[in-house]
Amino acid sequence: MSSLSARTGRDRQRYDNNFRLVSGLVKDDEDLNVDFESKIEVLMVSSPNRHDLVFPKGGWEDDETVLEAATREAMEEAGVKGILREVPLGVWEFRSKSSSADAECCKEGGCKGYMFALEVTEELEAWPERENRKRIWLSTEEALELCRYEWMRRALKEFLRVMTEHEHGRLGTKEEVVSDLGECYDPRYCFVVS
């Protein structure tokens, strides 16, 4: 049994204009050597009490940065650790399917999700939500087919674009990405809102 525990509740939750702020990841394996497009895999997790797969994500709390929230959610929901790409893939607005009464306080469950890429370097045998979630590695083609929501498909396509640029040595610095963006929501994290 693990001594790790997942954060619960929404007492410390961050909000922006009635949108609950969440942070999450699209994760890849580290073997990108041959035939990039067909070789890359992404990690998705099962949803508790539902039959769909999602990318690990969850609430960004007021005592952590958005990057800390993303890495915490990766460990809590999927039991993985790795190298986080600090430049976000983007921000997507979507409705939460949470049955929590707290979801009603934010535009009927509206969320603003900050998604990042993570190169998985370690898969834990025990993690906080392992009883409720299964981690599943999929080809990018399979993952695109299983994305239930359009915002997830868009995040995955952005992940593939970034990984393709990285494969060709053009990942880009944070400054280069920020200079192309225009509107900046916070100097700590500036990126495209899709």
Side-chain angles (χ1 to χ4, degrees), residues 63-126:
D63 65 339
E64 61 190 352
T65 67
V66 69
L67 299 172
E68 290 168 337
T71 55
R72 176 181 52 78
E73 289 296 335
M75 189 276 303
E76 287 180 0
E77 291 190 356
V80 295
K81 295 181 179 183
I83 302 167
L84 183 70
R85 179 178 180 263
E86 292 184 11
V87 177
L89 297 172
V91 181
W92 286 270
E93 291 180 0
F94 57 92
R95 288 194 50 176
S96 172
K97 298 300 180 189
S98 172
S99 59
S100 169
D102 290 335
E104 295 174 13
C105 72
C106 52
K107 287 196 177 182
E108 300 178 17
C111 293
K112 187 182 287 187
Y114 298 75
M115 300 299 288
F116 297 87
L118 177 80
E119 178 185 330
V120 173
T121 58
E122 182 180 0
E123 289 187 52
L124 305 173
E125 289 185 31

Side-chain angles (χ1 to χ4, degrees), residues 16 19-26 55-58 66 85 87-96 109-117 149-162 185 189 191-194:
D16 178 24
F19 283 93
R20 178 175 166 243
L21 300 182
V22 300
S23 181
L25 302 125
V26 178
F55 299 120
K57 67 180 180 336
V66 69
R85 179 178 180 263
V87 177
L89 297 172
V91 181
W92 286 270
E93 291 180 0
F94 57 92
R95 288 194 50 176
S96 172
C111 293
K112 187 182 287 187
Y114 298 75
M115 300 299 288
F116 297 87
Y149 306 105
E150 181 58 28
W151 76 267
M152 288 175 55
R153 277 187 287 283
R154 291 173 64 196
L156 182 53
K157 287 177 183 176
E158 181 61 15
F159 167 75
L160 291 171
R161 186 191 66 75
V162 166
Y185 292 89
Y189 45 89
F191 29 78
V192 177
V193 175
S194 301

Side-chain angles (χ1 to χ4, degrees), residues 6-185:
R7 290 186 176 199
T8 58
R10 295 194 177 162
D11 295 341
R12 301 189 64 127
Q13 192 64 72
R14 291 181 190 240
Y15 292 89
D16 178 24
N17 293 326
N18 293 322
F19 283 93
R20 178 175 166 243
L21 300 182
V22 300
S23 181
L25 302 125
V26 178
K27 296 185 249 331
D28 73 291
D29 71 3
E30 54 189 287
D31 182 16
L32 300 177
N33 296 329
V34 181
D35 195 13
F36 173 75
E37 291 288 329
S38 64
K39 194 81 168 148
I40 193 167
E41 291 185 320
V42 295
L43 180 62
M44 297 181 83
V45 293
S46 59
S47 296
N49 306 317
R50 300 200 19 215
H51 298 290
D52 58 349
L53 296 174
V54 295
F55 299 120
K57 67 180 180 336
W60 171 17
E61 299 187 359
D62 62 8
D63 65 339
E64 61 190 352
T65 67
V66 69
L67 299 172
E68 290 168 337
T71 55
R72 176 181 52 78
E73 289 296 335
M75 189 276 303
E76 287 180 0
E77 291 190 356
V80 295
K81 295 181 179 183
I83 302 167
L84 183 70
R85 179 178 180 263
E86 292 184 11
V87 177
L89 297 172
V91 181
W92 286 270
E93 291 180 0
F94 57 92
R95 288 194 50 176
S96 172
K97 298 300 180 189
S98 172
S99 59
S100 169
D102 290 335
E104 295 174 13
C105 72
C106 52
K107 287 196 177 182
E108 300 178 17
C111 293
K112 187 182 287 187
Y114 298 75
M115 300 299 288
F116 297 87
L118 177 80
E119 178 185 330
V120 173
T121 58
E122 182 180 0
E123 289 187 52
L124 305 173
E125 289 185 31
W127 67 93
E129 297 185 25
R130 76 178 181 281
E131 298 298 322
N132 297 325
R133 295 183 186 271
K134 303 292 183 234
R135 60 181 172 214
I136 301 165
W137 287 99
L138 302 162
S139 71
T140 54
E141 187 175 295
E142 291 169 320
L144 279 168
E145 288 178 22
L146 292 172
C147 286
R148 182 174 178 180
Y149 306 105
E150 181 58 28
W151 76 267
M152 288 175 55
R153 277 187 287 283
R154 291 173 64 196
L156 182 53
K157 287 177 183 176
E158 181 61 15
F159 167 75
L160 291 171
R161 186 191 66 75
V162 166
M163 294 308 295
T164 300
E165 287 179 3
H166 176 67
E167 181 69 6
H168 299 301
R170 297 181 10 238
L171 189 56
T173 67
K174 189 171 188 172
E175 292 76 24
E176 289 170 338
V177 173
V178 170
S179 70
D180 291 337
L181 294 178
E183 187 174 356
C184 180
Y185 292 89

